Amino acid sequence: MLAYDLNKPATACDGATVAILMHGRGSHRGDMQALRSELPPDWILLTPQAPHPGHLWGYGPGWAWYRYLSEDLVEEPGLLESLNALGAFVDQLPEIIRVQPGRVLLGGFSQGGTMSLAYALTRPGNVHAVLNFSGFLANVPSLEAAMHETIETPIFWGHGTRDPSVAHALADRGRKRLAAAGAPLVSRDYEIGHWIAPEEIADAVAFVEELGVEAA
């Protein structure tokens, strides 16, 4: 199973909202725990670690979800391996958090955001909403096939207009592909680079609360 960090309120009980947030390239499972204070206090925060050692692809001492090629292209075998590992992780969620989850939110930053989109498209109905912070929609055959199916998972896509790592043009491209496929998408842009702004988290939380989604 994927390594993870868990921040669970002492008052957590069945029906709690669970936010599974994934780190970016070359980082680790503790990185996204920095968002704990920005999230509602009754949410459970679970941050898994990518399965691929980053140094294999020149990403430093951290971890990676896939090998990046260029633009919105990635090596598909590594991505699929990570998606399978993430699928097994989500399946074990009740055992991990020790309560029955209510709303299950999947998201992440950069590579983690790309992963959340890929997971929702290839495993429809497994999570209640996606929170993509500065990721892109990977252009690989497995996702292209999913784009021809009905996309029902609500998606929040926040992106920096001055992002030097995942250019805003990639956000525009991915959003257009999702919109053309009929995905329920909310897009928000911020005058920032490659990071997550506090107002972005606030917008994502508001997005989730406005959905009013219940446990499956």
Side-chain angles (χ1 to χ4, degrees):
M1 186 173 69
L2 296 175
Y4 64 89
D5 281 349
L6 173 63
N7 191 301
K8 176 182 170 184
T11 56
C13 57
D14 289 352
T17 294
V18 183
I20 303 172
L21 299 182
M22 293 171 282
H23 62 80
R25 181 176 74 182
S27 190
H28 56 83
R29 63 183 186 266
D31 189 19
M32 298 300 283
Q33 287 289 331
L35 299 179
R36 170 69 269 182
S37 63
E38 307 292 333
L39 301 175
D42 59 338
W43 286 17
I44 295 172
L45 177 58
L46 184 59
T47 56
Q49 186 162 280
H52 302 291
H55 68 84
L56 296 178
W57 299 323
Y59 300 155
W63 302 83
W65 297 100
Y66 53 80
R67 186 182 183 187
Y68 176 70
L69 298 177
S70 64
E71 294 286 320
D72 53 5
L73 301 176
V74 307
E75 282 193 350
E76 190 168 25
L79 174 68
L80 295 179
E81 182 180 339
S82 289
L83 286 172
N84 288 335
L86 181 61
F89 184 81
V90 173
D91 288 345
Q92 297 176 63
L93 192 55
E95 290 76 22
I96 293 171
I97 65 175
R98 304 288 182 168
V99 295
Q100 191 62 35
R103 300 179 297 189
V104 178
L105 317 173
L106 183 67
F109 172 68
S110 196
Q111 277 203 358
T114 298
M115 278 289 297
S116 66
L117 291 172
Y119 182 91
L121 292 176
T122 57
R123 292 158 175 80
N126 280 20
V127 297
H128 293 90
V130 163
L131 307 177
N132 171 31
F133 306 112
S134 302
F136 58 81
L137 181 58
N139 186 5
V140 295
S142 55
L143 266 66
E144 280 303 309
M147 295 294 286
H148 296 290
E149 304 296 329
T150 301
I151 302 172
E152 297 182 349
T153 305
I155 299 168
F156 174 90
W157 189 325
H159 215 99
T161 57
R162 296 184 280 112
D163 191 331
S165 299
V166 180
H168 189 267
L170 292 181
D172 187 56
R173 182 187 304 174
R175 289 166 173 174
K176 287 179 178 177
R177 289 171 62 199
L178 289 171
L185 173 67
V186 170
S187 300
R188 295 286 184 270
D189 290 331
Y190 306 88
E191 291 294 323
I192 59 174
H194 196 58
W195 62 83
I196 305 175
E199 58 268 30
E200 187 175 0
I201 296 297
D203 288 345
V205 170
F207 162 82
V208 171
E209 299 301 350
E210 288 169 7
L211 289 174
V213 291
E214 302 295 334

